């Protein structure tokens, strides 16, 4: 079951002086319940693709679909609704509200979602059942990122898009954060796309998608994870 499909997707940033071809024709299918990683050098187009899939940015050419909905020409209001109803985001920086506890940060989302988890349930899922009443400043970077993951999954999004979630963490802590994403993917079947330079992801991902110069260079399929369990 295809969740995302892109055909000839392009993104040109026109800065006046130069045109940057951030995406130079991307064809891609991402399947339900899979965890995919986008690898490749800085500037190769990974974030641009993730932002388009998440409805944060518009392509300049090509087409893309979310399930059977053609999202190519979607306007800002349709994209806002799409993000709210279907997408969870995790970024490099956690963007937690410092004056609120972990539980209250997650509650900001669950208060307005249609069929949310309980905040405690989301926090237990990311291994923070014992930190629910802590404030961000009382938690490590890895714990804060796991609160951000709890916040992202608490509305039960169909897709979880993670742009450098390990970028501000040392490699061991980053690996723990990736293990948290993998556990969420396994327990809920949340279709997940991660940009990370942490090597531990390769064993966890179903698909390893390599970018170079705005194009997909190759896709490796991780057989041991794709095998039906
Ligand atoms: P639209 O083109 O649909 O009106 P925007 O112009 O605001 O939307 O671009 C959407 C995103 O792409 C913004 O986040 C913006 O930062 C980025 N962007 C696009 N073109 C440029 C540019 N020339 N310089 C800087 N940022 C750009
Ligand atoms: P990656 O995530 O692989 O590091 P990006 O998608 O962030 O790559 O960037 C791809 C290319 O697009 C780079 O050359 C980058 O400088 C350029 N770019 C990204 N965002 C903008 C923007 N808002 N305005 C102009 N150029 C941009």
């Amino acid at each position: 079951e295809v969740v995302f499909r892109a055909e000839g997707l392009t993104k040109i940033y026109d800065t006046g002086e130069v045109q940057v071809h951030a995406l130079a024709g991307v064809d891609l299918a991402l399947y339900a319940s899979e965890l995919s990683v986008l690898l490749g050098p800085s500037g190769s187009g990974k974030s641009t693709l993730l932002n388009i899939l998440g409805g944060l940015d518009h392509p300049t050419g090509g087409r893309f679909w979310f399930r059977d909905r053609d999202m190519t020409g979607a306007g800002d209001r349709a994209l806002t609704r799409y993000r709210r109803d279907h997408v969870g985001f995790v970024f490099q920086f956690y963007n937690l509200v410092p004056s609120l506890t972990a539980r209250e940060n997650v509650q900001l989302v669950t208060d307005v979602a249609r069929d949310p988890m309980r905040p405690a349930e989301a926090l237990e899922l990311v291994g923070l059942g014992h930190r629910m009443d802590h404030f961000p400043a009382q938690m490590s970077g890895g714990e804060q990122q796991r609160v951000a993951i709890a916040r992202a999954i608490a509305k039960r999004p169909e897709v979880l898009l993670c742009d450098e979630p390990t970028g501000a963490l040392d490699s061991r802590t980053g690996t723990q954060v990736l293990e948290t994403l993998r556990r969420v993917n396994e327990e809920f079947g949340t279709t997940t796309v991660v940009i990370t330079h942490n090597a531990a992801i390769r064993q966890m991902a179903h698909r390893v998608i390599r970018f170079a110069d705005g194009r997909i260079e190759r896709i490796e399929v991780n057989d041991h994870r794709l095998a039906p369990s």
Side-chain angles (χ1 to χ4, degrees):
E1 185 188 3
V2 176
V3 174
F4 286 116
R5 182 182 298 285
E7 280 180 15
L9 207 61
T10 62
K11 177 70 175 182
I12 300 171
Y13 289 109
D14 196 338
T15 63
E17 307 248 306
V18 283
Q19 287 193 342
V20 178
H21 290 251
L23 294 181
V26 165
D27 300 313
L28 180 64
L30 294 175
Y31 298 87
S33 301
E34 288 193 3
L35 192 163
S36 301
V37 58
L38 306 183
L39 295 184
S42 177
S44 58
K46 306 181 296 292
S47 292
T48 299
L49 177 65
L50 204 75
N51 289 344
I52 291 171
L53 296 181
L56 293 170
D57 203 352
H58 303 282
T60 47
R63 304 192 81 75
F64 85 105
W65 292 261
F66 173 68
R67 300 200 177 275
D68 50 10
R69 281 169 62 189
D70 188 341
M71 303 293 292
T72 313
D76 286 343
R77 277 179 53 201
L79 289 185
T80 301
R81 213 176 316 121
Y82 160 66
R83 289 198 302 268
R84 185 196 61 202
D85 293 344
H86 302 290
V87 188
F89 293 98
V90 179
F91 296 103
Q92 176 171 0
F93 299 104
Y94 328 121
N95 295 315
L96 303 176
V97 179
S99 59
L100 300 179
T101 64
R103 188 204 308 264
E104 290 164 343
N105 267 282
V106 175
Q107 212 163 350
L108 290 177
V109 169
T110 58
D111 279 349
V112 297
R114 212 175 290 167
D115 176 32
M117 299 177 195
R118 286 173 298 110
E121 190 185 341
L123 285 161
E124 275 157 17
L125 256 162
V126 301
L128 289 178
H130 59 303
R131 288 277 189 273
M132 292 197 274
D133 296 314
H134 285 57
F135 291 91
Q138 299 172 308
M139 289 184 278
S140 69
E143 287 173 334
Q144 291 183 61
Q145 188 61 295
R146 278 147 62 203
V147 175
I149 293 170
R151 180 181 56 186
I153 63 172
K155 66 177 179 184
R156 307 182 199 275
E158 288 171 76
V159 298
L160 185 59
L161 304 180
C162 310
D163 194 345
E164 300 258 22
T166 62
L169 303 171
D170 64 69
S171 93
R172 210 174 118 255
T173 310
T175 300
Q176 289 167 357
V177 163
L178 296 178
E179 276 163 2
T180 301
L181 292 173
R182 177 195 167 125
R183 196 164 63 241
V184 169
N185 169 253
E186 277 178 354
E187 288 198 20
F188 290 98
T190 311
T191 306
T192 304
V193 186
V194 186
I195 298 173
T196 181
H197 297 286
N198 183 309
I201 195 71
R202 290 192 206 178
Q203 293 310 307
M204 302 182 193
H206 299 95
R207 270 168 226 272
V208 178
I209 300 167
R210 289 183 179 280
F211 269 76
D213 298 326
R215 289 192 171 83
I216 292 176
E217 198 176 49
R218 58 179 304 204
I219 298 180
E220 293 154 33
V221 176
N222 224 341
D223 292 324
H224 72 274
R225 276 226 67 192
L226 274 187
S229 50

